[in-house]
Amino acid sequence: MYDWFSHLSPVIQALIAGIFTWSLTAAGAAAVFFVRGVNNKLLNTMQGFAAGVMIAASFWSLLAPALEFSEKAGNIPWIPAAIGFLLGGLFIRGLDFVIPHMHREHSEDHKQEGVKSNLKQSTLLLLAITLHNIPEGLALGVAFGSIMHNDSATLMAAIGLAIGIGIQNIPEGTALSLPLYADGKSKSKAFQLGQASALVEPVFAVIGAAAVLLITPLLPYALAFAAGAMIFVVVEELIPESQSGNNTDLATLGLMVGFTIMMILDVSLG
């Protein structure tokens, strides 16, 4: 299986990785068929875990390779990393400003962000999680696309990133489908919305891989861009949501466990 996968083009590899991470989101969303209600302790812990995975992936899988590639190319290493990182955060902020959405901690007071709309609350929650998944798809794409141009990037490291994102996508799917069911959606509808939030991951994985392959000098900027986008999501959404209940210690421990697991995956496989 590995040999077959290794001979595919990076774009196809990124597409398969994106489908894999989406499928684990769907698996997490399927919990709505087996669990009766939302366990806030578990939910906050899982949100913290997801934040930890994304923070670790942002450095070991994205920023560190960006710095190494820039240095080997004879450039000042921190310039592409700094520019790409800031642009990634600004990109997600721009989407936040334009796309109507609602974060879970604001659902009770119906506070929405982005352009004013009359969309249903469930749709606004779905759009918030979908925005969150865009950087993950980009990260997958640039990780697989960078293999051909960066000696420090390996296929196993990219696979490790896909595994890490996939693991944290399981609780993400659950964190969307269960609250939607609790708010009155049918189990089937809650599952459909939960899994649909990650459909952007295969799409943006392909976009990220294709962009890096077409424009090689873009690689360090693209890696840092994905890192900046992920960190913006972590700080703007995941950490506040995980800390919004009365389970701050559990959420923080979840973050540390997620960070540790992703670090081990990246270092051992890279």
Side-chain angles (χ1 to χ4, degrees):
M1 178 67 76
Y2 178 82
D3 288 339
W4 168 80
F5 187 75
S6 65
H7 286 91
L8 298 174
S9 76
V11 173
I12 300 301
Q13 290 173 344
L15 174 62
I16 293 172
I19 292 172
F20 166 75
T21 57
W22 160 78
S23 69
L24 290 185
T25 302
V32 73
F33 295 113
F34 309 101
V35 179
R36 291 186 176 181
V38 179
N39 183 318
N40 284 323
K41 285 185 178 181
L42 179 60
L43 179 61
N44 292 152
T45 303
M46 292 189 301
Q47 288 169 330
F49 178 87
V53 168
M54 292 179 71
I55 292 171
S58 295
F59 178 74
W60 272 281
S61 298
L62 299 168
L63 278 177
L67 292 167
E68 291 174 13
F69 184 83
S70 294
E71 188 172 15
K72 289 179 180 178
N75 301 319
I76 300 174
W78 58 264
I79 291 180
I83 293 173
F85 186 82
L86 292 174
L87 287 176
L90 290 172
F91 171 70
I92 298 300
R93 178 63 187 95
L95 293 181
D96 258 349
F97 187 75
V98 173
I99 298 176
H101 62 285
M102 178 186 294
H103 297 297
R104 185 172 178 269
E105 74 268 26
H106 296 148
S107 60
E108 291 185 3
D109 55 11
H110 302 286
K111 180 182 176 182
Q112 64 170 282
E113 299 179 21
V115 176
K116 294 290 184 181
S117 74
N118 295 318
L119 295 174
K120 294 181 180 178
Q121 181 171 307
S122 58
T123 303
L124 293 170
L125 289 169
L126 170 63
L127 288 172
I129 302 296
T130 300
L131 280 173
H132 170 172
N133 286 326
I134 289 174
E136 296 178 7
L138 286 173
L140 289 173
V142 297
F144 281 98
S146 68
I147 296 170
M148 294 183 66
H149 303 300
N150 189 1
D151 293 337
S152 64
T154 67
L155 179 58
M156 286 304 298
I159 292 173
L161 175 63
I163 292 171
I165 290 177
I167 290 172
Q168 63 97 26
N169 272 4
I170 297 173
E172 275 188 11
T174 305
L176 181 57
S177 65
L178 288 182
L180 288 173
Y181 175 60
D183 288 341
K185 296 291 181 184
S186 67
K187 289 186 175 182
S188 177
K189 186 67 173 179
F191 167 74
Q192 290 174 17
L193 291 171
Q195 62 83 27
S197 66
L199 288 173
V200 294
E201 289 191 7
V203 175
F204 278 88
V206 169
I207 292 172
V212 169
L213 289 173
L214 290 172
I215 313 172
T216 304
L218 185 68
L219 176 56
Y221 295 93
L223 287 164
F225 182 94
M230 289 178 73
I231 291 297
F232 187 95
V233 167
V234 168
V235 177
E236 196 255 353
E237 179 183 341
L238 283 177
I239 291 179
E241 287 190 4
S242 71
Q243 300 286 330
S244 62
N246 296 316
N247 308 300
T248 57
D249 288 343
L250 285 174
T252 303
L253 288 171
L255 185 150
M256 296 182 70
V257 170
F259 184 97
T260 302
I261 289 175
M262 187 64 232
M263 177 182 66
I264 292 171
L265 276 173
D266 199 281
V267 174
S268 61
L269 295 178

